[in-house]
Amino acid sequence: MSEYDSNPRNDLIGDILKEYTKTGGMDDLPGAGKPLSAEYFSGDLFQHFQRVANEAGHKPHWLKLQHEIRDGIQEAILQLSKGKRSDVQLKVALLNDKIHEFNQICPIPLQKGSVRMKNLDAAMERWR
């Protein structure tokens, strides 16, 4: 039996960090010994994670989907304006799959309704 099997509180990440510290991996870290900013303690843990992740260039998956949906709708309207209605019907089905995925993971106020051909037709008329 390994030490992980016998330990009722398996802390794999903690064990990795302890081993990393023992081998000197935590020596000479940038910012070591400097005080933390007041901003570090503001908000909750999730808000802080989002701020740090955003500063590092990470986008949440739902935000990437939101951009793909927007671009897909614009492309569908462009194809409709060129008379490619059958291509757009397939694109609408794919967009609605993305919208369904988006709605499952995005903040509730940002959820979207399904795309319909009549809505695209109306949008195309407004853009003319």
Side-chain angles (χ1 to χ4, degrees):
M1 203 193 274
S2 74
E3 72 178 88
Y4 297 110
D5 294 335
S6 63
N7 187 354
R9 292 195 57 210
N10 187 359
D11 183 16
L12 185 59
I13 300 298
D15 294 341
I16 291 170
L17 286 173
K18 284 178 191 173
E19 184 63 31
Y20 189 66
T21 302
K22 283 180 192 175
T23 60
M26 299 298 247
D27 300 342
D28 301 324
L29 292 175
K34 295 179 183 174
L36 296 173
S37 68
E39 191 177 277
Y40 181 82
F41 297 105
S42 66
D44 65 14
L45 181 62
F46 184 67
Q47 288 173 335
H48 178 66
F49 168 76
Q50 285 183 312
R51 183 173 43 248
V52 169
N54 188 33
E55 289 170 0
H58 173 74
K59 287 185 182 178
H61 181 61
W62 64 266
L63 189 56
K64 292 176 187 175
L65 280 174
Q66 184 179 40
H67 292 191
E68 289 174 13
I69 292 166
R70 179 201 59 211
D71 295 345
I73 290 172
Q74 290 174 349
E75 186 180 324
I77 292 170
L78 182 62
Q79 286 180 346
L80 264 180
S81 69
K82 294 179 180 178
K84 299 180 180 178
R85 195 164 193 81
S86 61
D87 294 344
V88 173
Q89 289 174 337
L90 175 61
K91 185 152 209 62
V92 164
L94 295 173
L95 279 170
N96 285 331
D97 289 343
K98 280 188 183 185
I99 289 170
H100 178 71
E101 180 184 353
F102 173 82
N103 287 343
Q104 290 180 342
I105 59 176
C106 76
I108 292 173
L110 298 178
Q111 291 186 350
K112 301 181 177 306
S114 297
V115 175
R116 306 272 185 247
M117 288 299 293
K118 67 179 181 177
N119 296 357
L120 291 177
D121 288 333
M124 184 181 67
E125 290 302 318
R126 284 193 303 261
W127 285 16
R128 284 186 180 193

